[in-house]
Structure formats: structure tokens, C-alpha cells
Amino acid sequence: MLDSLLQEMTPPQKKQRTNDPPPSHQSTEMDPAVARRLLVEGATVVLLGVPAGTQVGVDVTSWNVGEQFMGVKMIPPGLHFVYYSAVNVTDRSTAPRTGFFHNFGRGEMVVRRWDQSIEDVVDDVADEDKVKMKQDIKNIDKHLGVYPYHSWKKWISLSNHVSDATLLRLEPRTKKICSVADLVPDEAGSVPDQPPSGDTDPRLPAMSARPGTSITYTSLVTSKYPEGSTPAEITRHSLDGTFQLSAFVGSLEKLYGDQVSTSMSDQDSVREVLAEIQFAFLCFLVGTNYDSFEQWKKLVVMMCSCDDGLVKYQGLFLDFITVLFFQMKEVPSDFFVDIVSSDNFLSSSLNSLFSTVKNSPEVNQQLKEKAKKFEANVTKKFGWDFSAELTEDGPVVVENSDE
């Protein structure tokens, strides 16, 4: 089920080779002035030795490359995601996807090499060779595909909050996003006197991700209320995710406040919530990393369950609705349905958000109007009915034993 959804989400694979001229619809959509500017200011990613048939992509578009492929040119300066999957031409099977983010500078050339022994891209090209390639760009140019400029606006709408500081905070030490975890035996994971859990085969060794390969997502506090809360406060916090959101923002403030690097210490911790939501969504949408979907889901549920936070973080929620609007355009309508329980987590979460915004007199009118338009858009796209009352489990009510 998951694989089929991922395939449905992935943009259609282009059958042309990337070193061939781009399709006519791409050529006509790029203004000649834009093309001339990108020829000068656009960045280039060179991938040496990539076998023919390999799937290579930049942002939301991918291709099966030809024999003469050497990379992609005319990439607009800014953040992009480059990814690839080895393909067995004989049985047409595709290996798990791997990719990396890079914030391209104007006219920058990034050079990587395909290592056939591990079917992966490595960064071991000597600096002098990179200089020679840049000087020989006229001869290399004919082997470079053109960045699909028609999809750039879509990419910007999905990534505009992600910064260098976000990457520094979240990226694995390897700087690579992998769709399949690189597992190694976990020596510390097995406890001799502890019986195995019901979903674990005791004959299998304990495994964990290889150090440095996991995305370092920010943890959400498990408790919905602060320590020492009264029964009434526990009840109120159980209905409102603002405590979790404030704790999340607080952990980011502490992280960035402890950093010496200017790129991190100057970050807006509230805005970094949106950055992590976008980063997690992109790592799942394009990087097909399922752990990222789980993080994105947790963050969306947290945001949609807030009440006081709609007033406390009004600007954050105005932008959160915009972020969700563009993300919803990229997924099929049945994607958010839980495979086991058939419970649509996003529908119920948005129902909670829309209801709270609509019924709270303290919420700013601008946020009310934006939520109303977003509700109409989601209803039209997915056919979800938000007019019914919430049908989830009732709120947590704590009785005061002293009364």
C-alpha cells in the first residue's frame, strides 16, 4: 500500500534522456530573458559516471538518464534537492532512493561522482578537477539536461521556509536523505533478561540505524500539560495542543541560542516550526523517507489541536495554512487514510482546526478568513465534510477528588 502511494505521489518519470533537448512544453514556458539570465547565473550539478537508465531528479521532476548524461544546468540559485536511484535495466527493478539538499549559489558548479561499487554518489572529486570542468563548461554543456523551470514555483512554495540553519539542524551527518534506513546490529539494543515484544522475532538481531544516517528531527514532548498542573489545568491542556507547541518552540530557542554559528543563532525559532514541517514533507514526498512522514504527521496534528496558540502565534498559523495549502496540492485524496483503522488523521485534524478558528472569538479576523478559504479549497479537492461535529474520542476530563 505504501509503495503504491509513493509511486502515485512521485512525478511521472520522463522517458527522454536528460542530455537530449527538453520537451517543447518546457521550452515554450521559459521566457527568453529568463533563459539568458539562467545561462549566466544558473547553477550546475555535474554527476560523473552515472549509468544509463539511472533515475535522477532535481526537486519535483525526475528522469531516466541517457548514456551521455553528465548532469543538470540552469538551476535557479537557492535550495534544491538532488536525488537518484540505481536501475537494473534487465528486470527494470529500481533501488531505494538517495538524495541531498544543496543551497546553490549563482553560477555554482557542484560535482559528484557515481561509485558503481556502492551504487551511490560520492563527493571525492579533486578541487583541481572541478576547476578544469568549470573551465571546460562549453564542451560539457551538451551533456547537461536543463532544469525544468516550469516546476520551480511549485518547489519554492514547498520549500521557502527551509534555510541553511534548518539543514544544519536536521540533516544527517552524512548529508544524505535515504528512503531506506541503513541498519546495523545494535549491540546495546538487546537486554538479556527482558522478554521480546510481541511484534519482534527473538531469532532476529536487534538493529538500529547506522550512526550519522538518521535525520535529527526535533522531539515533541509526550505530556500535553506541564508538570504540577491542577486537575482543571490538565483538562484544559488535554483539549489544547498549545503547551506542546510552546515546548517545541522553546526547544528550538534553546538550540539556536546555544549556537555560535550566526546562521543558526539569528534564526526565528517560531518560523523554524514551519521549516521543519516543510523539510519533513519534502523528505517524504521527494525523498520517500517514511520516518519523515511520521514527523510531518505529528507536527500537523500538534498544530491543528491548538486553541490558545491561535492567538499567541497568530503569524505562525497564518503561514501554516499557506504551507498546508501547497502541500495538499501534491498528494492524492486517499493518502492520509490510516491503512489499519481507515481513520483519516488529516481530515479529523483539520476539522478540529477549522472548528476552533470558527468558534473562538479571540482569533483574528484575518486568520478566520484564511481558514475559511482553506476549508473550502480542501472540501473541493478531497470531498471532506467539515460541517459535521467532531466524532473523535471525547476530551480528557480530570475530576478533582477534593471536591
Side-chain angles (χ1 to χ4, degrees):
M1 178 69 174
L2 177 61
D3 289 341
S4 64
L5 288 174
L6 289 174
Q7 290 172 5
E8 187 173 355
M9 290 175 65
T10 304
Q13 301 299 317
K14 306 295 187 295
K15 297 304 180 183
Q16 83 278 1
R17 297 176 178 180
T18 59
N19 49 297
D20 291 340
S24 58
H25 74 275
Q26 291 187 23
S27 302
T28 56
E29 286 189 7
M30 186 183 296
D31 182 88
V34 174
R36 286 193 296 270
R37 188 173 75 247
L38 285 177
L39 281 171
V40 177
E41 299 182 358
T44 303
V45 58
V46 175
L47 302 173
L48 302 173
V50 177
T54 303
Q55 288 185 4
V56 175
V58 181
D59 300 341
V60 293
T61 306
S62 58
W63 312 264
N64 290 95
V65 303
E67 294 179 359
Q68 299 183 51
F69 170 81
M70 289 184 66
V72 180
K73 63 180 178 179
M74 298 172 67
I75 302 173
L79 181 73
H80 296 278
F81 186 66
V82 180
Y83 51 97
Y84 42 86
S85 299
V87 174
N88 186 320
V89 181
T90 304
D91 59 12
R92 306 191 69 80
S93 60
T94 303
R97 179 172 290 181
T98 303
F100 60 91
F101 285 95
H102 188 81
N103 198 346
F104 288 88
R106 296 179 183 274
E108 181 183 5
M109 176 182 284
V110 173
V111 183
R112 299 285 190 272
R113 180 183 65 84
W114 181 268
D115 188 333
Q116 188 61 38
S117 64
I118 57 175
E119 293 189 329
D120 198 357
V121 165
V122 294
D123 183 12
D124 64 356
V125 179
D127 290 339
E128 54 267 29
D129 291 333
K130 294 178 182 179
V131 172
K132 290 178 181 178
M133 275 185 275
K134 190 151 190 176
Q135 294 171 343
D136 193 37
I137 188 63
K138 289 186 178 180
N139 291 323
I140 296 176
D141 185 79
K142 61 185 177 183
H143 301 291
L144 302 175
V146 178
Y147 177 85
Y149 186 77
H150 67 285
S151 66
W152 187 44
K153 287 185 179 180
K154 176 191 291 187
W155 174 254
I156 290 294
S157 70
L158 295 171
S159 64
N160 61 313
H161 292 284
V162 181
S163 64
D164 284 338
T166 309
L167 298 182
L168 187 62
R169 177 169 65 87
L170 297 178
E171 276 187 322
R173 290 202 305 270
T174 60
K175 304 297 183 183
K176 291 184 177 179
I177 307 298
C178 303
S179 61
V180 176
D182 182 7
L183 298 177
V184 294
D186 184 4
E187 300 296 335
S190 56
V191 182
D193 297 331
Q194 181 175 321
S197 60
D199 58 352
T200 302
D201 189 333
R203 296 168 296 180
L204 297 177
M207 305 291 285
S208 63
R210 185 182 299 277
T213 62
S214 297
I215 302 172
T216 55
Y217 285 122
T218 309
S219 299
L220 278 68
V221 293
T222 54
S223 176
K224 288 191 173 184
Y225 50 86
E227 186 177 350
S229 296
T230 64
E233 290 170 340
I234 292 176
T235 299
R236 178 170 61 83
H237 284 298
S238 296
L239 294 167
D240 185 356
T242 302
F243 171 73
Q244 278 189 314
L245 174 58
S246 296
F248 190 89
V249 172
S251 66
L252 293 177
E253 288 176 345
K254 184 178 186 306
L255 173 66
Y256 285 125
D258 291 342
Q259 300 300 320
V260 177
S261 170
T262 304
S263 65
M264 294 189 71
S265 60
D266 292 343
Q267 283 302 109
D268 183 339
S269 299
V270 175
R271 296 293 167 180
E272 274 296 293
V273 177
L274 299 173
E276 187 153 339
I277 291 173
Q278 285 190 331
F279 183 89
F281 185 79
L282 289 174
C283 287
F284 179 67
L285 175 72
V286 190
T288 65
N289 179 282
Y290 187 71
D291 288 343
S292 296
F293 172 72
E294 288 298 316
Q295 178 71 1
W296 178 81
K297 177 180 176 180
K298 291 176 185 177
L299 292 174
V300 169
V301 170
M302 175 188 72
M303 295 287 289
C304 290
S305 66
C306 286
D307 190 341
D308 292 345
L310 295 171
V311 178
K312 183 178 181 180
Y313 301 108
Q314 177 188 310
L316 171 64
F317 278 91
L318 283 169
D319 288 338
F320 171 66
I321 289 177
T322 301
V323 167
L324 269 188
F325 168 77
F326 286 111
Q327 291 178 344
M328 295 306 93
K329 295 173 70 173
E330 303 306 314
V331 292
S333 58
D334 61 347
F335 182 76
F336 303 104
V337 178
D338 186 276
I339 298 172
V340 178
S341 67
S342 295
D343 174 42
N344 190 319
F345 89 89
L346 186 62
S347 175
S348 58
S349 295
L350 288 177
N351 198 6
S352 176
L353 175 65
F354 295 148
S355 177
T356 304
V357 171
K358 190 180 304 180
N359 298 322
S360 175
E362 297 181 358
V363 172
N364 181 280
Q365 189 61 34
Q366 183 184 3
L367 183 55
K368 284 181 178 287
E369 289 297 326
K370 194 164 190 176
K372 184 178 179 180
K373 291 179 180 179
F374 182 44
E375 179 181 346
N377 178 271
V378 173
T379 299
K380 181 178 180 181
K381 176 176 173 61
F382 296 107
W384 296 342
D385 181 14
F386 297 108
S387 61
E389 293 295 324
L390 293 176
T391 58
E392 292 183 300
D393 295 339
V396 178
V397 179
V398 180
E399 299 292 342
N400 193 335
S401 57
D402 296 334
E403 293 182 356

